[in-house]
Amino acid sequence: MKVGFVGYPPDKIMEEYRSEDLVDLDNDLGQVEERDDLYLPKVSCSVIKRVFNNALAIRPQKIIFDVGEGKCDSGRFLSWILREHFGMEIVETRNVNRKSHGTVICDSRLSLLKKFDLILNNIVEPKDYNLTKEPHPKAGFWSVPCWDKRIFDLFPDGTKIFGWTRCFENSTPEDLELECHVDKDIPTVFYAQTFCSKNILAKNLARVYKGLYVDCDGRMTASVRAQIEAFMYLRGAVK
Amino acid sequence: MTVFADFGSTWSKVVDPSVKIIKTKELPRDIIVDFACGHNSENKSRRCVNELIALSEGGLRLIDEKDFLLVDVGSRDIKYVLYEDSQFAETGWNQECGASQGFAIELLEMYYGLDCNQLDPPGECYPVPCGLIGISRIFDEIIKTGDERMAVSRFIKGIALNVYHFTGKPKKMYLSGGLCENRLFIESLPCEVVPLGRLVLIEGLKEIYRKDNRSQGL
């Protein structure tokens, strides 16, 4: 049975479906028909649009949809619409776990692309990793998983991950304290998808920690790329 | 001889070492310079430099202050760098919304036969979220009042206020780009403005070139 999931549902629920064909609907699943323009307002974030398009294209028999504080109101409303208007079977969850699983991937020496892949795959196939910690990270990246993965290429290996992605690895997706934790001495890019409410956090954390705030609607633009490259260079994270 | 160029979307500045300001659409198709930044510069230069880095280096060379905000208003975008206590503090580049900045002004001057240096800043302005929406407000006002000069002045003040808000409502800004030659735009900004001209990014490129030579012992 194909089972979709959205956000980070509780581990206990995921365990029940471990033997099924689990599909992360937040992720890029390749070419799917884009129907969001018919049903969703333009001011929906790219990830919400992607979840919607993936759900309609893949039509999983069931979707485990985390609608708690670890996701967002747009996700909660989308979950309702998929059930009520598109007849999908939805299992709504609220992941309130506060038992820390640790952040070895976020803190490791790996590239950002590899880190994000490991963190996101870990929900489907959980593994414990024994990775060397980067003792002197040159840069930080505060974000949710990005729509456009090309952004990861702009950061040096060992870039430390903060924000919701850190909460995700730690198995505590609604932990706001952890989400707002940043190492103040590391030049950090605060990235949010355009129209996502996390922009409020990103802009203010960037102001307080002298980081770079960028919001990006889906595909990375030339100006976002140039800002990140310049920030990294001018703050000495890259040569 | 080292040739530097700042390839803007509508105007290009080439220094070889004489200064040439050329419409970008009239650039020789096969032009290759040594150091460049801007529009398509990766295909037109031996070394392409990030525009914000060029702006930054230009500011450090031209501005003798520890704290400064340097803003470059181009044909279609706004870029800025902020330095505090001689350290890079912040940057921003608005290329998507609020675009069509300098180019929209240039088109309006040409179409209505106006010279912005002969216009005074108006008391009121339009909110100009982008050039196209702003232009539709101009047409509305001209239909209503028949006063083209006032309509265009209000639009330009709206663009100036966009720049002011995007750069964090500063008390003082150093200005780079073609709008340094536009009195109406400068006087519409509600802060102290120091115009540095159109060659700030070129000065940045030269500075990077000098640093490269020094690091190679040349």
Side-chain angles (χ1 to χ4, degrees):
Chain A
M1 176 168 70
K2 189 165 276 188
V3 175
F5 68 92
V6 181
Y8 188 160
D11 290 335
K12 196 175 159 191
I13 308 272
M14 292 299 288
E15 209 51 55
E16 290 174 26
Y17 294 94
R18 193 72 68 202
S19 58
E20 307 293 347
D21 181 8
L22 281 168
V23 183
D24 186 347
L25 297 178
D26 285 297
N27 271 356
D28 180 3
L29 302 181
Q31 290 264 316
V32 298
E33 187 186 355
E34 292 181 0
R35 298 171 66 187
D36 60 89
D37 53 340
L38 296 174
Y39 300 98
L40 302 183
K42 284 191 173 64
V43 290
S44 307
C45 92
S46 302
V47 174
I48 288 294
K49 288 178 182 171
R50 176 185 272 169
V51 170
F52 179 77
N53 290 327
N54 283 344
L56 261 57
I58 302 227
R59 282 264 165 193
Q61 279 92 331
K62 198 176 273 190
I63 298 176
I64 313 166
F65 208 127
D66 198 65
V67 295
E69 289 182 15
K71 190 63 183 173
C72 60
D73 267 356
S74 298
R76 190 160 60 90
F77 301 149
L78 182 62
S79 167
W80 187 89
I81 289 164
L82 289 174
R83 186 179 63 226
E84 296 296 326
H85 295 173
F86 292 88
M88 296 196 179
E89 187 178 342
I90 306 282
V91 179
E92 287 198 344
T93 65
R94 285 176 170 77
N95 190 343
V96 293
N97 178 52
R98 286 301 176 98
K99 191 177 168 194
S100 171
H101 179 263
T103 54
V104 290
I105 302 172
C106 289
D107 300 340
S108 71
R109 292 180 151 172
L110 298 174
S111 68
L112 267 190
L113 180 64
K114 186 72 181 163
K115 287 183 180 189
F116 271 85
D117 277 350
L118 291 183
I119 291 167
L120 296 179
N121 286 334
N122 223 25
I123 190 169
V124 179
E125 293 176 63
K127 283 182 198 158
D128 282 323
Y129 291 93
N130 182 17
L131 298 168
T132 310
K133 185 176 178 177
E134 170 56 60
H136 305 293
K138 292 190 175 70
F141 187 57
W142 183 101
S143 84
V144 294
C146 303
W147 191 95
D148 187 346
K149 290 182 178 177
R150 291 175 308 164
I151 195 170
F152 301 145
D153 298 338
L154 305 178
F155 292 82
D157 287 357
T159 293
K160 193 165 182 172
I161 294 178
F162 301 106
W164 190 79
T165 311
R166 191 172 186 84
C167 299
F168 192 102
E169 189 194 355
N170 196 44
S171 304
T172 55
E174 61 138 41
D175 183 349
L176 184 58
E177 291 300 314
L178 181 62
E179 188 166 359
C180 295
H181 164 77
V182 178
D183 289 1
K184 66 179 172 62
D185 296 327
I186 304 175
T188 298
V189 173
F190 295 83
Y191 176 97
Q193 302 290 153
T194 304
F195 309 125
C196 173
S197 53
K198 290 196 189 294
N199 278 287
I200 296 170
L201 288 179
K203 186 175 173 71
N204 280 282
L205 290 168
R207 178 178 59 81
V208 169
Y209 293 105
K210 303 271 182 206
L212 175 71
Y213 162 59
V214 285
D215 75 317
C216 189
D217 184 17
R219 202 169 298 282
M220 182 171 55
T221 62
S223 65
V224 167
R225 169 185 286 274
Q227 284 177 77
I228 294 172
E229 283 176 349
F231 176 79
M232 288 289 149
Y233 174 81
L234 295 167
R235 289 291 298 273
V238 295
K239 287 185 179 173
Chain B
M1 180 182 64
T2 306
V3 181
F4 302 92
D6 168 13
F7 296 117
S9 300
T10 53
W11 291 96
S12 290
K13 286 70 73 179
V14 181
V15 175
D16 65 354
S18 67
V19 176
K20 298 177 179 68
I21 297 179
I22 310 163
K23 283 183 180 167
T24 296
K25 66 174 184 169
E26 291 171 2
L27 278 172
R29 291 179 67 87
D30 54 353
I31 187 170
I32 299 284
V33 302
D34 297 296
F35 268 62
C37 62
H39 187 64
N40 213 8
S41 57
E42 63 272 23
N43 297 322
K44 295 180 190 150
S45 65
R46 293 183 186 86
R47 166 122 185 241
C48 165
V49 176
N50 180 306
E51 286 175 77
L52 292 168
I53 295 172
L55 182 67
S56 215
E57 294 289 349
L60 289 169
R61 177 160 171 75
L62 296 171
I63 301 168
D64 189 20
E65 283 182 48
K66 286 184 174 179
D67 300 329
F68 68 84
L69 171 74
L70 172 58
V71 185
D72 182 83
V73 184
S75 295
R76 58 168 180 155
D77 58 13
I78 314 164
K79 299 182 271 288
Y80 72 86
V81 288
L82 174 70
Y83 273 75
E84 290 172 352
D85 199 19
S86 303
Q87 299 292 312
F88 165 75
E90 195 179 309
T91 185
W93 186 347
N94 181 350
Q95 193 179 48
E96 309 308 319
C97 298
S100 300
Q101 306 284 343
F103 192 53
I105 295 173
E106 205 175 322
L107 288 175
L108 287 167
E109 275 187 305
M110 268 195 302
Y111 184 79
Y112 289 110
L114 299 172
D115 175 359
C116 283
N117 288 316
Q118 304 299 320
L119 299 177
D120 292 321
E124 293 174 16
C125 69
Y126 314 128
V128 186
C130 83
L132 287 177
I133 295 172
I135 284 173
S136 84
R137 295 289 301 269
I138 292 177
F139 294 148
D140 285 346
E141 176 150 337
I142 291 173
I143 290 164
K144 209 173 3 172
T145 67
D147 189 343
E148 294 166 359
R149 292 165 64 90
M150 180 56 74
V152 171
S153 300
R154 286 182 171 172
F155 171 81
I156 291 172
K157 183 167 180 178
I159 285 186
L161 287 183
N162 263 0
V163 172
Y164 174 68
H165 286 277
F166 180 64
T167 54
K169 299 184 182 177
K171 288 196 176 77
K172 178 179 181 180
M173 73 166 71
Y174 288 88
L175 185 65
S176 153
L179 286 175
C180 287
E181 295 159 17
N182 187 316
R183 184 177 70 87
L184 172 60
F185 176 80
I186 290 174
E187 291 183 2
S188 294
L189 284 162
C191 63
E192 184 188 348
V193 181
V194 183
L196 295 178
R198 304 179 86 155
L199 301 179
V200 176
L201 278 81
I202 292 279
E203 286 303 320
L205 293 175
K206 287 181 179 174
E207 187 60 20
I208 293 165
Y209 171 71
R210 275 190 284 267
K211 281 182 180 172
D212 276 7
N213 280 352
R214 273 200 297 271
S215 69
Q216 290 167 22
L218 298 175

